[in-house]
Amino acid sequence: MTSTPEREPTLKDIVEQIQELRSELERSRQELKDEVGRWDERFFQFTRENLVTARTIIITAGTVITLSPVLQAFAPAIEAVVTRLMGGDGL
């Protein structure tokens, strides 16, 4: 406040103080709005990353479940090929 201790604040002093408070309040509101925007962006980025991770896990699990019987069926043939390539006894 611009008043001195010897006198009472004038209407002009009060208006100036109110204007300063309004400016400070507006700056605080803008800072809060900016911070909320940053937190929103962080949240949505985190959500997108989790979605990608979940999709990867689901696709991997589905692939393993789907291909397990196929790999089990081909296991003897794969074993024979590997044995021959390593110079072992043929079947």
Side-chain angles (χ1 to χ4, degrees), residues 29-84:
R29 284 180 178 166
Q30 188 59 44
E31 288 173 5
L32 181 59
K33 191 182 223 182
D34 294 343
E35 187 64 25
V36 167
R38 285 190 293 271
W39 276 100
D40 283 348
E41 183 55 36
R42 288 180 194 130
F43 172 76
F44 290 127
Q45 181 62 33
F46 178 72
T47 302
R48 286 188 292 269
E49 290 170 1
N50 281 345
L51 179 61
V52 169
T53 302
R55 284 181 182 164
T56 302
I57 291 169
I58 291 168
I59 290 170
T60 303
T63 303
V64 168
I65 290 170
T66 303
L67 293 180
S68 285
V70 173
L71 291 175
Q72 286 177 350
F74 284 113
I78 294 171
E79 183 180 0
V81 169
V82 169
T83 303
R84 285 185 193 163

